[in-house]
Amino acid sequence: MLDVANLEAGYGPHLVLKGLSLQVPEGRIVALLGGNGAGKTTTLSAIMGLISARKGTVTFDGAAIQSKPAHRVFSHGVALVPQWRELFPEMSVRDHLELGAIQSRRGKAPGAHVEAVLDHLPELRAHLERRAGTLSGGQQQMVAIGRAIASRPKLLMLDEPSMGLAPLVVNELGRTIRRLNAAGTSVLLVEQNMHLALSVADYVYIIRNGMIVKHGATAAFHDERELFQSYIG
């Protein structure tokens, strides 16, 4: 499904990604793990077209999408939940979900897409008319995920979704990710929370200084202390 090969990208003169390669097969959950400044968010930004690739290729469902604008990448079926959620505080939960649904590649009315989101995230049903800014951090994260999946993406990319959430909420987030995947959505999960990532992912990539330094099936990363050592070298 997603194939990133020898990707180089950065900001101005600063090169962040230095020949990064990874794959997300259809129907799988893949985790990209690493410390602060390793290049995780830059990887998602380059895939999504928020920054341009300087070298390398990004292929999705057989189509080259590197350096296409974000709305074109989105139209291929890729959705990103950004690190800071980027909700509109005065807009209701329903409005956020309908905003995602309007951008859907499929011809259903927004209301039908909202109902489909609520099937996956039933906890949002009681908060549909509340303003997003009045919700807890965990509830806001679910709204951000709901807005993304309202577009019915083939690939959902999540950037540090557990940031700032209480442990019980993180556990529910993990269940939500697995539920979405079971319904047919492939997932690329960027995380620093190793426990969450290892509990949901099928495959793990470790990024350090803009390069993949280790990767393998999740079972190969059962020792979290050893995994942390691969973050810092």
Side-chain angles (χ1 to χ4, degrees):
M1 175 174 273
L2 178 71
D3 189 351
V4 179
N6 303 312
L7 184 63
E8 294 187 4
Y11 308 92
H14 183 51
L15 186 65
V16 178
L17 304 182
K18 305 164 185 174
L20 179 140
S21 297
L22 61 79
Q23 295 180 326
V24 181
E26 185 174 0
R28 306 294 291 276
I29 302 176
V30 172
L32 178 63
L33 307 181
N36 286 328
K40 302 185 303 296
T41 294
T42 301
T43 300
L44 296 188
S45 296
I47 294 169
M48 197 70 211
L50 299 173
I51 62 173
S52 296
R54 300 182 186 180
K55 290 183 180 179
T57 61
V58 181
T59 305
F60 184 73
D61 270 0
I65 61 171
Q66 71 271 7
S67 299
K68 285 187 176 182
H71 72 277
R72 294 285 302 280
V73 176
F74 179 83
S75 71
H76 282 273
V78 182
L80 170 65
V81 178
Q83 187 174 35
W84 300 107
R85 301 163 192 151
E86 296 183 10
L87 302 180
F88 300 96
E90 298 302 315
M91 281 177 55
S92 70
V93 171
R94 184 188 300 276
D95 287 341
H96 278 90
L97 301 184
E98 289 185 349
L99 181 63
I102 287 170
Q103 300 301 319
S104 173
R105 297 168 290 111
R106 305 190 183 179
K108 294 182 180 179
H113 288 284
V114 169
E115 282 300 314
V117 170
L118 296 176
D119 287 341
H120 292 300
L121 303 173
E123 60 269 35
L124 292 181
R125 191 176 294 277
H127 305 291
L128 284 174
E129 308 311 324
R130 288 183 61 183
R131 291 177 297 169
T134 68
L135 302 176
S136 69
Q139 290 167 338
Q140 289 186 16
Q141 187 60 266
M142 293 303 173
V143 174
I145 293 173
R147 179 179 59 186
I149 66 173
S151 68
R152 307 295 291 274
K154 298 177 184 177
L155 174 65
L156 179 65
M157 301 195 300
L158 300 165
D159 192 359
E160 302 276 12
S162 72
M163 181 177 289
L165 302 184
L168 286 177
V169 181
V170 172
N171 290 339
E172 178 57 33
L173 174 64
R175 288 190 288 270
T176 297
I177 293 171
R178 288 192 293 268
R179 194 161 61 235
L180 292 172
N181 178 247
T185 304
S186 304
V187 178
L188 177 55
L189 172 66
V190 159
E191 262 297 343
Q192 288 195 58
N193 185 321
M194 292 182 290
H195 180 72
L196 170 63
L198 295 179
S199 71
V200 301
D202 303 302
Y203 201 88
V204 174
Y205 288 88
I206 307 298
I207 183 173
R208 187 171 72 240
N209 296 327
M211 297 178 287
I212 299 299
V213 295
K214 193 173 183 179
H215 61 93
T218 305
F221 295 92
H222 62 278
D223 187 335
E224 292 188 10
R225 289 174 296 179
E226 180 182 339
L227 180 56
F228 179 73
Q229 286 299 316
S230 66
Y231 281 23
I232 59 179

